[in-house]
Amino acid sequence: MDRILVTGAAGQIGSDLVPELRNLYGNENVIAAGHVTPLPEDIRASGPSITLDVRSYETVDRAIKEHGITVVYHLSSLLSALAEANRPLAYAVNFTGNFNILEASLSNGVKRVNLPSSIAVFGADAPSLDTPNDVSLNPTSLYGVSKVYGETMGTYYRHLGLDVRGSRLPGIISWKTEPTAGTTDYAVAIFYGAISEGRYTCYLRPDTALPMMYMPDAIRSLILLDQADPTRLIHSANFNITAMSFTPAQIAREIEARVPGFQIDYEIDPLRQAIADSWPDSIDDSPARNEWDWQPNYNMSAMVDDMLANLRSKLSIDVG
Ligand code: VAH
């Protein structure tokens, strides 16, 4: 049975990925690793959990050796807005951390490293609609540069014999753990605002379209790519994937149809607006669909229904 290390296990994706992997591989075979944010209680209670600072090669190497790791999901990362606010920390985590994971995985014979990338790799020079998988990557955020670095290093380590895979995740919407300082976070915060206050002030312009995905699809995509037949993969650490694209105005209308009286207003954050403007409105994910059968299950309407239902019980507030 594989022994799986998940870094960033306290984060928005990690906190949903660990329980799913433990269901599939057995609790004891999935080691949840966090660093600054404490790991959620359900994760600490259900299986092995460690503190891991990916900025230190020695601690990464020791964790892989001590736990007999065969597969890694490397999720530790500063997201786009936080990376702009703290470039030294973003470099140490997003660049040095990536290197440490790849080098320690190679030197310890790890079978596969899943290294999620992001739509943040694209710059304003890429086509904004149905952005193809294979275009020039000129990101204008440090986070985006770190994801291009991750893709390029992943491809290099594949040449050294390490099986590295990754998808360019869009904005991810979930109800379990709130994201930390990303540009697409509005698409989560708007639901908390709708349920708690019946209103939300958005930091992006109403017409800012971005690719998005509901968390259950994101988790399934990560596991599907890890388990994909390697002989079918033409791409490796750089698959476009998406499920939907929408603007703040569009998601607000969907919510208002279910939460009568919900109101949105706008106070633009220039930093996150500039980042969002450099990203695609929508992307073409046909390589992922052709090479490993990617197919989303949730569209915007289904996601809104599920988000409101789960947040209502999480916040124990009944609305609508
Ligand atoms: C962010 N949620 O906003 C992340 C992600 C594509 C968006 O990279 O920074």
Side-chain angles (χ1 to χ4, degrees):
M1 180 64 80
D2 277 323
R3 300 271 297 162
I4 299 172
L5 172 68
V6 180
T7 70
Q12 182 194 16
I13 296 175
S15 58
D16 272 300
L17 177 62
V18 167
E20 188 61 32
L21 288 173
R22 284 178 171 166
N23 287 339
L24 285 173
Y25 292 91
N27 288 357
E28 292 314 303
N29 291 314
V30 181
I31 291 81
H35 178 237
V36 178
T37 312
L39 290 170
E41 174 54 36
D42 66 314
I43 286 183
R44 288 200 306 271
S46 64
S49 304
I50 63 173
T51 298
L52 177 63
D53 184 347
V54 295
R55 295 172 295 179
S56 155
Y57 180 83
E58 289 69 28
T59 57
V60 171
D61 183 55
R62 187 165 59 247
I64 290 175
K65 283 186 170 72
E66 284 178 1
H67 295 276
I69 299 300
T70 59
V71 175
V72 175
Y73 286 81
H74 179 46
L75 303 178
S76 297
S77 174
L78 269 67
L79 296 183
S80 55
L82 186 54
E84 291 305 311
N86 191 337
R87 288 190 291 273
L89 181 61
Y91 185 84
V93 174
N94 293 19
F95 291 80
T96 306
N98 260 359
F99 170 77
N100 291 338
I101 288 288
L102 290 168
E103 184 60 26
S105 295
L106 179 70
S107 64
N108 287 287
V110 166
K111 286 161 54 179
R112 287 184 309 282
V113 174
N114 297 279
L115 202 57
S117 181
S118 165
I119 60 165
V121 297
F122 298 111
D125 61 323
S128 60
L129 293 175
D130 295 328
T131 308
N133 210 107
D134 305 323
V135 293
S136 61
L137 304 176
N138 296 298
T140 50
S141 68
L142 183 58
Y143 175 75
V145 173
S146 77
K147 289 303 184 181
V148 173
Y149 168 83
E151 291 186 9
T152 310
M153 288 290 275
T155 305
Y156 166 69
Y157 273 84
R158 281 185 74 85
H159 292 313
L160 298 180
L162 180 64
D163 185 344
V164 183
R165 307 174 182 197
S167 298
R168 292 163 177 168
L169 295 175
I172 304 298
I173 298 155
S174 67
W175 52 269
K176 183 177 178 184
T177 304
E178 293 188 66
T180 50
T183 298
T184 61
D185 298 0
Y186 90 87
V188 175
I190 193 169
F191 286 95
Y192 283 83
I195 288 176
S196 308
E197 302 164 38
R199 55 168 307 286
Y200 175 66
T201 298
C202 185
Y203 53 78
L204 294 181
R205 283 194 320 267
D207 62 345
T208 307
L210 287 169
M212 298 280 184
M213 185 181 293
Y214 195 32
M215 183 64 81
D217 274 338
I219 299 303
R220 190 168 49 82
S221 77
L222 291 170
I223 296 170
L224 196 61
L225 177 54
D226 176 62
Q227 296 177 345
D229 174 358
T231 64
R232 290 180 61 194
L233 301 184
I234 298 164
H235 296 77
S236 55
N238 62 349
F239 282 99
N240 283 4
I241 58 167
T242 189
M244 60 189 94
S245 284
F246 55 74
T247 66
Q250 289 168 330
I251 190 76
R253 277 196 296 276
E254 285 286 326
I255 292 172
E256 203 278 331
R258 297 159 173 84
V259 184
F262 168 70
Q263 291 194 330
I264 187 170
D265 57 27
Y266 299 88
E267 285 176 23
I268 307 310
D269 170 5
L271 169 70
R272 285 184 285 189
Q273 187 66 55
I275 293 173
D277 288 345
S278 72
W279 291 351
D281 294 6
S282 61
I283 62 175
D284 168 38
D285 59 3
S286 45
R289 293 168 189 255
N290 298 334
E291 297 173 37
W292 47 278
D293 308 319
W294 162 244
Q295 178 71 35
N297 291 335
Y298 285 84
N299 61 18
M300 180 160 58
S301 178
M303 175 273 290
V304 171
D305 286 339
D306 201 67
M307 272 293 284
L308 290 173
N310 281 289
L311 266 186
R312 269 200 297 268
S313 53
K314 175 183 174 182
L315 302 177
S316 59
I317 302 174
D318 195 10
V319 292

